[in-house]
């Protein structure tokens, strides 16, 4: 799995939940609409990963006006099966709920920030403890809401797997006791909630999580794990303005050969401003277009059976010879050989690293 590049980000699906909750609680959009990752072209794109700071800021704005238990409950209520994509089905489709939550723990990076959050499963005789570990201050209300929501989400997915509501024997929360507990009792189905605990956790009877999942399909978990790997490999973490620019450039390149005015329009800036921002990030339009073209051609070679002539035409090259020269410069090999081997480490002649400003950004195959 690829997690280092995803640190500091969460899936756009998580951000969509945060935005939905903010809207339902009538939080003014001007407080968060400008944040990185909230623009519709990123918020609605399942490949984009939003900065974790964006979600935290939205939660801050929400918990100023709404008690954090209410936010936790609403987030859980808005999280139907499929809301979080393949990660949901890892839990609900496994042979047992326990195997499903183990897969969910292994692939938590698909939805959460792998730098700050982890999911742990501990078997203790007749009980199984599912813990959500988050590094934020226990007294920080946005973090309290997120921890409580995470536990509620796990409970709901495990219940969906078992096809009956599983009520935990005990709930612990690394959070200060709120004034009103009712939303949390509604969320978990129990009043056995301990606050100010070292770790947030759910404790279930082992028999509830080890019973076979009704209608489980043999082999489906393997397919879903491969899908989760692909989701991580093709994700586009949005860490900075340069990430936004490269996402816009790639989207234009998938439609036509990009020009600076086209991309500037997509970013809602003038061409002059776009050039200035590229200078500020120590790169140039020509370098970025070259990298985007290389990524595009690599995807076509690996993900389609188009001829070299057809790929050259789609990529703005005069002919296949020009395309072959470019691939030789990038990778030190031919397009046909690159297609056969699937190798995408940019190298120069004789296998030496080729000089360039950045490596390819993994994106979905066309």
């Amino acid at each position: 799995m690829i997690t280092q590049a995803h640190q500091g980000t969460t899936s756009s699906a998580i951000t969509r939940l945060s935005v939905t909750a903010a809207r339902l609680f009538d939080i003014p959009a001007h407080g968060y609409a400008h944040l990185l990752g909230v623009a519709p072209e990123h918020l609605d794109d399942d490949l984009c990963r939003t900065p974790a700071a964006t979600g935290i800021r939205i939660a801050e704005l929400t918990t100023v006006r709404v008690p954090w238990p209410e936010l936790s409950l609403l987030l859980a209520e808005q999280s139907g099966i499929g809301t979080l994509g393949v990660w949901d089905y890892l839990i609900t489709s496994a042979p047992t709920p326990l195997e499903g939550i183990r897969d969910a723990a292994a692939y938590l990076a698909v939805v959460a920030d792998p730098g700050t959050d982890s999911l742990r499963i501990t078997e203790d005789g007749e009980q199984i403890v599912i813990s959500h570990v988050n590094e934020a201050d226990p007294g920080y209300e946005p973090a309290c809401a997120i921890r409580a929501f995470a536990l509620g989400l796990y409970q709901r997915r495990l219940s969906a797997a078992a096809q009956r509501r599983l009520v935990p024997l005990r709930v612990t929360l690394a959070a200060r006791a709120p004034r009103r507990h009712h939303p949390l009792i509604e969320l978990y189905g129990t009043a056995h909630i301990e606050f100010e605990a070292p770790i947030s956790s759910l404790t279930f009877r082992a028999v509830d999580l080890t019973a076979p999942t009704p209608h489980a399909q043999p082999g489906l978990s393997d397919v879903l794990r491969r899908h989760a790997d692909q989701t991580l490999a093709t994700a586009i973490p949005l860490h900075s303005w340069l990430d936004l620019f490269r996402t816009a450039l790639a989207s234009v390149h998938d439609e036509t050969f990009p020009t600076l005015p086209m991309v500037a329009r997509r970013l809602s800036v003038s061409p002059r401003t776009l050039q200035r921002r590229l200078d500020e990030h120590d790169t140039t339009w020509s370098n970025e277009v070259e990298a985007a073209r290389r990524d595009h051609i690599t995807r076509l070679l690996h993900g389609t059976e188009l001829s070299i002539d057809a790929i050259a035409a789609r990529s703005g090259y005069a002919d296949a010879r020009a395309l072959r020269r470019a691939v030789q410069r990038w990778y030190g090999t031919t397009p046909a050989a690159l297609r056969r081997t699937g190798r995408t480490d940019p190298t120069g002649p004789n296998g030496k690293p080729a000089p360039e400003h950045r490596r390819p950004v993994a994106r979905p195959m066309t």
Side-chain angles (χ1 to χ4, degrees):
M1 291 183 291
I2 302 170
T3 57
Q4 186 172 0
H6 303 81
Q7 290 188 6
T9 67
T10 64
S11 75
S12 59
I14 292 289
T15 310
R16 286 197 294 270
L17 282 173
S18 298
V19 170
T20 296
R23 289 171 178 166
L24 290 174
F25 283 126
D26 295 323
I27 307 303
H30 65 75
Y32 59 83
H34 65 286
L35 298 174
L36 184 57
V38 177
E41 63 268 25
H42 305 121
L43 191 64
D44 298 333
D45 187 344
D46 287 334
L47 289 177
C48 289
R49 290 182 63 90
T50 311
T54 291
I56 291 170
R57 178 56 181 159
I58 297 173
E60 283 179 340
L61 293 169
T62 306
T63 53
V64 166
R65 298 181 56 176
V66 178
W68 65 262
E70 292 186 25
L71 174 57
S72 301
L73 177 60
L74 181 62
L75 288 170
E77 290 174 342
Q78 296 297 314
S79 303
I81 293 290
T83 302
L84 302 181
V86 66
W87 187 84
D88 283 341
Y89 300 110
L90 285 168
I91 305 177
T92 59
S93 302
T96 66
L98 178 58
E99 291 176 75
I101 198 66
R102 283 175 175 160
D103 279 347
Y107 286 94
L108 189 64
V110 169
V111 291
D113 178 358
T116 60
D117 294 82
S118 61
L119 170 57
R120 302 175 186 172
I121 298 97
T122 306
E123 298 183 58
D124 183 14
E126 296 181 354
Q127 297 182 353
I128 294 174
V129 180
I130 297 169
S131 304
H132 183 90
V133 181
N134 178 278
E135 296 181 357
D137 183 344
Y140 183 46
E141 291 201 355
C144 295
I146 292 168
R147 292 187 189 106
F149 158 62
L151 294 186
L153 180 66
Y154 303 150
Q155 179 188 5
R156 286 173 180 246
R157 294 298 179 266
L158 290 167
S159 297
Q163 295 192 358
R164 62 187 178 88
R165 188 174 191 190
L166 301 180
V167 178
L169 301 173
R170 183 173 63 257
V171 179
T172 68
L173 283 171
R176 294 175 183 169
R179 292 182 179 179
R180 294 182 62 249
H181 298 183
H182 180 72
L184 297 176
I185 295 172
E186 183 178 349
L187 177 59
Y188 304 122
T190 180
H192 296 292
I193 304 172
E194 174 189 341
F195 296 97
E196 299 187 24
I199 293 178
S200 301
S201 69
L202 301 168
T203 300
F204 291 98
R205 297 190 308 156
V207 67
D208 287 334
L209 300 191
T210 55
T213 299
H215 312 303
Q217 300 180 38
L220 181 55
S221 289
D222 289 336
V223 173
L224 292 171
R225 283 190 287 267
R226 289 196 295 271
H227 189 178
D229 283 327
Q230 181 71 2
T231 297
L232 286 169
T234 57
I236 305 170
L238 302 178
H239 293 291
S240 67
W241 177 88
L242 194 56
D243 292 315
L244 291 179
F245 163 78
R246 287 172 175 165
T247 301
L249 176 60
S251 64
V252 172
H253 206 301
D254 286 342
E255 300 166 7
T256 184
F257 190 74
T259 65
L260 193 146
M262 285 180 190
V263 178
R265 186 162 54 249
R266 190 154 296 194
L267 291 171
S268 300
V269 299
S270 69
R272 184 183 296 275
T273 297
L274 176 55
Q275 287 181 315
R276 185 176 68 252
R277 296 298 299 273
L278 290 172
D279 289 340
E280 292 170 354
H281 285 81
D282 296 321
T283 187
T284 65
W285 169 256
S286 60
N287 282 348
E288 294 295 329
V289 170
E290 177 83 350
R293 177 184 271 183
R294 182 191 62 213
D295 294 346
H296 181 70
I297 289 169
T298 303
R299 295 199 307 275
L300 292 178
L301 285 170
H302 291 166
T304 76
E305 296 183 358
L306 291 171
S307 68
I308 303 303
D309 286 318
I311 291 176
R314 284 195 177 195
S315 306
Y317 284 100
D319 52 36
R321 284 180 20 179
L323 173 60
R324 290 189 182 96
R325 287 195 296 270
V327 171
Q328 179 68 36
R329 184 174 70 254
W330 297 330
Y331 298 116
T333 189
T334 65
L338 184 63
R339 171 171 269 170
R340 286 195 304 271
T341 63
R343 179 170 60 82
T344 58
D345 289 333
T347 59
N350 304 318
K352 295 180 180 179
E356 56 169 330
H357 68 292
R358 67 183 177 98
R359 287 184 175 270
V361 175
R363 297 189 179 91
M365 296 182 179
T366 53

